[in-house]
Structure formats: C-alpha cells, structure tokens
Amino acid sequence: MTTLTFKKTVTVLVATGFAVSLVACGKQAESPKKSTVSQDTATITLDFENDKKVDETKKITIIKDQTLLDALKENFKIEEKSGFITSIDGKTQDQAANKYWLFDVNGKMAEKGAADIHLKKGDTVAFYLGSF
C-alpha cells in the first residue's frame, strides 16, 4: 500500500467514525427521555354564585409538589393579594357583601391557603364565593 493510499484510507476511516458519532449523538438527543417528574390530574370546580351549581369545571395536569395557587395561575385568570385569591376568571370577591373566595379540597373546607396546599393525584377542589 502506498503512502497516498494509506492516507486516504485513514482519512476515510476517521471521517466515517466522526460521521457515525455525530449521528449517534443526534439520535440520542432526539429520543425521549423518561421524565422523573410525575404528572397527574386534579379537578377544579368554580361556583360563582354559591348556589351549589357548578359554573365551570376544569381537569388540570399537576406536577408533583405543585401548590394549588400555582396550578390556579397556570389554568385560570387569577388575582391574589398576599396569597389570598381575590378574583378567579374575572369574578371578584365582594368585601362589602362579606363574600370571599373559599374552597374545599376533597369535600372538606381547606384549613390552609392555596399557596400552602400541595395538590395530589385525584384531588377535587371546589371554589365558591361564600361568607365566613
């Protein structure tokens, strides 16, 4: 084998190896990775008039350890002050009438604020304008 043929062979082998490594890297980047973040769903209902009739229901995707307040902000138009929800989708509480946004989690009145409650798979949260 001559020096010129040897150099061509080495060049072709190096180029082929480089091309194969690029393709392998490209395939690796394209393949979906298994997520370590668990995604589950919860259901949120809204009763704007507190007449025990659901005005809106939304099944939302939650991320592990996500707070209720963060989930609300991602799925509804929310206004809040210091963690207290003052408006949901344009429906504002009425302090003069002593009506505030209250909520139940899985049928029980919440003992914490929305910023302190972490949603879990299958949770049902019902918001309503009520008095306390």
Side-chain angles (χ1 to χ4, degrees):
M1 199 186 297
T2 66
T3 305
L4 187 55
T5 306
F6 180 73
K7 285 183 179 179
K8 284 183 181 178
T9 304
V10 170
T11 304
V12 169
L13 287 173
V14 170
T16 303
F18 183 69
V20 168
S21 68
L22 284 177
V23 169
C25 289
K27 293 283 186 193
Q28 187 178 27
E30 292 174 15
S31 64
K33 295 181 180 180
K34 290 184 180 178
S35 175
T36 57
V37 177
S38 149
Q39 287 192 343
D40 295 311
T41 60
T43 303
I44 296 179
T45 62
L46 304 176
D47 177 358
F48 294 131
E49 304 302 324
N50 196 16
D51 57 3
K52 306 296 181 206
K53 294 180 184 174
V54 174
D55 294 303
E56 186 175 345
T57 299
K58 192 179 276 191
K59 185 171 248 177
I60 64 166
T61 300
I62 56 172
I63 300 169
K64 186 176 180 182
D65 293 327
Q66 183 176 35
T67 66
L68 174 56
L69 184 59
D70 289 339
L72 284 171
K73 287 179 179 180
E74 289 179 13
N75 292 279
F76 298 91
K77 183 181 175 194
I78 300 295
E79 292 179 28
E80 53 104 4
K81 184 176 182 180
S82 302
F84 292 97
I85 297 164
T86 59
S87 176
I88 302 176
D89 283 351
K91 188 70 172 176
T92 305
Q93 65 187 15
D94 184 355
Q95 292 178 331
N98 196 31
K99 293 205 179 212
Y100 301 91
W101 277 110
L102 306 174
F103 63 96
D104 298 340
V105 178
N106 298 323
K108 295 180 182 175
M109 186 168 209
E111 296 177 6
K112 300 177 188 177
D116 297 318
I117 292 177
H118 293 271
L119 292 173
K120 296 181 296 295
K121 178 181 181 180
D123 278 349
T124 300
V125 182
F127 280 89
Y128 54 94
L129 280 169
S131 302
F132 58 93

